[in-house]
Amino acid sequence: MKRTALFCAAVALIAQAAQAQPVGGVKVSPQARAVHEAAIVLDTHMDTPALFARPGWDIADRHAVETDGSQVDLPRMIDGGVDGGFFAVFTPQGPRTKAGDDAARAYALVRATEIHEMVARHPGQFEIALTADDAQRIAGKHKHFVFLSMENAYPLAGDPGMLQAFYALGVRMVGFAHFANNDFADSATDKPEWNGLSPKGRALLAEMNRLGVIPDPSHSSDAVLDQVIELSKTPVVLSHSGSRAVFDSPRNAPDDLIRKLAARGGVIQINAYNAYMTAIPPNPDREKAMAALQAKYRGRRLTEAEAIAQTAERHAILAQHPIPRANLDDLMKHLLHVIDLVGVDHVGLCGDFDGGGGIDGYNSIADLPAVTERLLKASYSKEDIAKIWGGNVLRVMRETQAYAQAQKAGA
Ligand SMILES: [Zn+2]
């Protein structure tokens, strides 16, 4: 009798644990899971390196977006059937002065080093990838490939020759600007200054082509996107952008430029960033509370305990002043619109995780199989789905590096 009661209690506990732990990630059909696992699945913009030096946070541990706000770690990459992706060296735009340029360069070098340190700490799970073949080889060993990318070329402003140094550190995709204009290019969210690329920006693009680095005009103005497509010798990747025809935001690309991008072999990776997908009416109370929360934690590296406290405070503000949330249906609208416009060879996905991304139903790297399920239901083949998840970007990387090699051989 006693033994039966104990057994029942144990079964109940196990059932409870199984329910609480989201192992396996989002629930999809076995067919969708099989198609997803067969593809090389990558995300083109992860801001997770911002967490690599956080005391108490390790990429090998399981975290939850609801608890500490983080969206990418090894257990959730496995849940999400994710083979790897581009880990960003992101630098916020600061003063365009000698001192600002020097500080940005140092900041970015530290961030790039932290990515290498993360991989060095987990040699059995992660490996740096420099080529598309590397990605395929690493995924074949059931390890996760780590490409480096740069978001905002500001760290190169003081010395564009630094692109070669960051290339040597593994950087294979570079975004020109971020929220504000810089010495290279106009931002999508600033007033025109150069009317596209500056002369220095054009020189940077030529250097990317020479080295075999993918140009990424996400965050750049339409004029920059247009000029980069026009001038680049290799196809262009928008690492995290949406469709402006679906939702009007300067961070989303208009149809004519998506057509032009695709005609030159480029790819747009559909972003899952709430504010670029749904209208958010102003709410002064919420904005004031959020600004105060930001100020409270600004200017220093948070510990994991502080990040958990900050996330709880954020949830409390949002419970009082809810914010409209985009969802998986919205993400599919952007994706399917671009497929209708230019076909499956020129589109992919990016969560902008740990960089402000995430929507309902697509809120961490564990949620990616949900899109595979939707695409299968919409009658896309497993070959189409494999192109969308990684094949398209890896094709662009091959073309980019083949061009650089051919130039070198010619010279
Ligand atoms: Zn971004």
Side-chain angles (χ1 to χ4, degrees):
M1 187 73 178
K2 208 175 165 191
R3 194 172 284 174
T4 313
L6 257 177
F7 176 75
C8 287
V11 168
L13 266 175
I14 290 165
Q16 207 180 358
Q19 250 178 357
Q21 230 185 351
V23 174
V26 62
K27 289 273 166 284
V28 295
S29 65
Q31 194 205 0
R33 179 51 77 169
V35 167
H36 193 81
E37 292 293 341
I40 290 193
V41 175
L42 62 82
D43 184 296
T44 38
H45 186 77
M46 292 182 274
D47 276 306
T48 316
L51 309 182
F52 288 170
R54 175 187 286 176
W57 194 93
D58 191 308
I59 197 164
D61 297 336
R62 179 179 290 280
H63 309 82
V65 62
E66 296 80 10
T67 313
D68 74 353
S70 76
Q71 294 168 303
V72 177
D73 55 35
L74 179 65
R76 285 180 290 175
M77 285 178 84
I78 294 168
D79 289 348
V82 178
D83 298 290
F86 290 79
F87 289 76
V89 175
F90 163 63
T91 311
Q93 186 62 46
R96 289 157 61 183
T97 59
K98 168 84 170 74
D101 292 346
D102 288 350
R105 188 169 60 236
Y107 184 94
L109 284 169
V110 169
R111 185 56 55 85
T113 305
E114 286 169 353
I115 298 172
H116 284 274
E117 286 173 343
M118 180 283 279
V119 173
R121 274 197 299 273
H122 304 290
Q125 289 77 36
F126 290 96
E127 195 173 324
I128 297 284
L130 303 174
T131 64
D133 286 347
D134 281 350
Q136 227 149 9
R137 174 180 57 76
I138 295 165
K141 291 192 289 186
H142 302 293
K143 284 170 71 173
H144 297 85
F145 57 85
V146 174
F147 283 120
L148 275 78
S149 60
M150 180 177 264
E151 181 175 42
N152 195 1
Y154 177 36
L156 310 173
D159 178 5
M162 282 299 286
L163 180 62
Q164 197 154 356
F166 280 98
Y167 178 84
L169 280 168
V171 169
R172 291 294 180 270
M173 179 157 65
V174 170
F176 292 84
H178 193 242
F179 286 146
N181 297 341
N182 62 20
D183 291 348
F184 297 109
D186 289 345
S187 165
T189 45
D190 204 345
K191 290 188 186 71
E193 175 183 339
W194 304 104
N195 294 312
L197 290 167
S198 72
K200 217 171 171 178
R202 286 165 194 254
L204 178 65
L205 174 61
E207 185 65 355
M208 286 188 213
N209 288 162
R210 185 184 75 81
L211 288 170
V213 172
I214 299 169
D216 171 15
S218 270
H219 279 288
S220 293
S221 70
D222 287 358
V224 174
L225 172 57
D226 193 12
Q227 291 165 20
V228 171
I229 297 168
E230 196 72 45
L231 295 170
S232 180
K233 308 289 186 198
T234 61
V236 171
V237 171
L238 282 164
S239 69
H240 56 304
S241 294
S243 153
R244 198 175 300 164
V246 176
F247 185 80
D248 189 10
S249 159
R251 278 287 285 110
N252 295 334
D255 282 357
D256 59 330
L257 287 177
I258 295 175
R259 275 201 206 94
K260 189 168 175 176
L261 173 92
R264 309 276 176 109
V267 180
I268 172 170
Q269 299 283 109
I270 301 298
N271 205 1
Y273 195 101
N274 197 50
Y276 311 148
M277 300 174 82
T278 193
I280 302 174
N283 177 330
D285 290 338
R286 184 183 61 227
E287 284 148 27
K288 209 174 125 193
M290 284 295 189
L293 180 65
Q294 250 186 348
K296 184 175 167 186
Y297 291 98
R298 187 180 291 139
R300 61 202 169 87
R301 229 186 244 288
L302 301 189
T303 64
E304 178 65 358
E306 285 172 321
I308 289 169
Q310 185 193 35
T311 305
E313 288 170 58
R314 194 169 171 276
H315 286 163
I317 295 169
L318 291 177
Q320 233 187 334
H321 311 287
I323 205 161
R325 291 275 291 174
N327 59 30
L328 196 56
D329 292 339
D330 297 305
L331 186 69
M332 294 308 296
K333 274 183 210 158
H334 285 260
L335 178 60
L336 295 175
H337 173 76
V338 173
I339 293 175
D340 280 347
L341 197 65
V342 293
V344 293
D345 292 320
H346 304 285
V347 69
L349 285 137
C350 172
D352 204 353
F353 293 132
D354 296 321
I359 53 171
D360 287 348
Y362 201 84
N363 202 22
S364 88
I365 202 80
D367 292 335
L368 273 55
V371 170
T372 299
E373 181 96 286
R374 294 287 188 103
L375 288 170
L376 276 178
K377 279 192 181 141
S379 301
Y380 288 94
S381 70
K382 70 177 201 294
E383 289 79 14
D384 292 341
I385 292 170
K387 285 178 180 177
I388 292 167
W389 277 125
N392 291 334
V393 165
L394 294 178
R395 165 181 55 77
V396 169
M397 181 171 267
R398 282 205 171 86
E399 288 177 37
T400 305
Q401 297 183 333
Y403 174 83
Q405 270 189 341
Q407 294 300 299
K408 217 180 284 173

